Amino acid sequence: MEALEKLLKDELADLYDAEQQLVKALPKMIEASSSSELQQALKQHLTVTQKQVTRLEQVFEALGEKARRKPCKGMAGIVSEGQEMLEEDLEESTMDAAIISAAQKVEHYEIASYGTVRTLAETLGNNEVADLLEETLEEEKEADRLLTEIAESAINVDAASEEEGKNGRSRSSSRGSGNNNSRSKTRTTRRTRGRSKATR
């Protein structure tokens, strides 16, 4: 059981770092989003995440430990990938869809992680810790559900419409360019024929 308890504490330290990385990353996602509904959801989750950091400190206290951070490479990778996405030149709704994708990767990582530590705490018979972790786990599931709802109700459809509109403008521009070239060729041919007649 001692080894299992050590594993639990290490996983909690990993999550403690992950949540604090997320506290820094979420404001950038909020700033980059265009949908007011998405912004509100992300702001709400930022507040929840800050509370989750405090809850993890309570978990450490319940275990008789001082809260500590263990660099979470998993979250660092997800955050880094999300940051690269924010630097892409995307249409507004497409960017919002990309932000939701990045945010849900975070949620799925956290759902898996909190599910693991909750189960470890239950196995060790620490119901107080298990209950605290279960509370966070349910919050992560709710955040994921809300993001899916926002994506499916509007943003994904708007992003698809943006793409269709962009393609339509591109085709229209190409046709216009082709017509201009055709008219230009016609004018050139006429001038050439005129010069030929004058020579004869």
Side-chain angles (χ1 to χ4, degrees), residues 127-194:
N127 293 329
E128 179 186 358
V129 168
D131 288 345
L132 287 168
L133 296 171
E134 174 68 23
E135 189 174 348
T136 298
L137 178 59
E138 290 305 313
E139 289 171 347
E140 302 298 0
K141 289 179 179 178
E142 174 60 22
D144 182 54
R145 184 200 62 76
L146 179 59
L147 288 168
T148 296
E149 184 179 295
I150 293 172
E152 292 179 346
S153 65
I155 288 177
N156 286 355
V157 175
D158 291 343
S161 297
E162 278 181 347
E163 187 64 24
E164 288 176 3
K166 186 176 180 181
N167 290 339
R169 289 193 299 273
S170 177
R171 286 193 296 270
S172 176
S173 175
S174 296
R175 285 196 297 270
S177 176
N179 290 338
N180 288 337
N181 288 339
S182 177
R183 286 193 294 270
S184 177
K185 289 178 181 178
T186 300
R187 287 195 296 270
T188 301
T189 301
R190 286 172 180 168
R191 284 198 299 271
T192 302
R193 287 174 180 170

Side-chain angles (χ1 to χ4, degrees), residues 10-81:
D10 283 346
E11 290 295 318
L12 289 170
D14 190 82
L15 273 168
Y16 191 53
D17 182 73
E19 294 289 19
Q20 294 190 59
Q21 287 187 50
L22 190 54
V23 166
K24 292 181 180 179
L26 277 170
K28 297 176 183 177
M29 298 170 76
I30 293 168
E31 184 179 356
S33 62
S34 301
S35 163
S36 58
E37 188 177 11
L38 177 57
Q39 286 179 341
Q40 183 58 38
L42 293 173
K43 286 177 182 177
Q44 179 182 333
H45 194 58
L46 175 57
T47 300
V48 170
T49 300
Q50 291 166 335
K51 291 179 180 177
Q52 289 171 348
V53 171
T54 301
R55 190 177 296 136
L56 280 171
E57 291 168 353
Q58 293 175 323
V59 167
F60 275 107
E61 185 178 349
L63 292 170
E65 296 274 335
K66 183 178 179 180
R68 63 182 176 87
R69 294 174 66 169
K70 174 185 174 184
C72 181
K73 295 179 181 179
M75 182 61 76
I78 295 172
V79 168
S80 176
E81 186 178 87

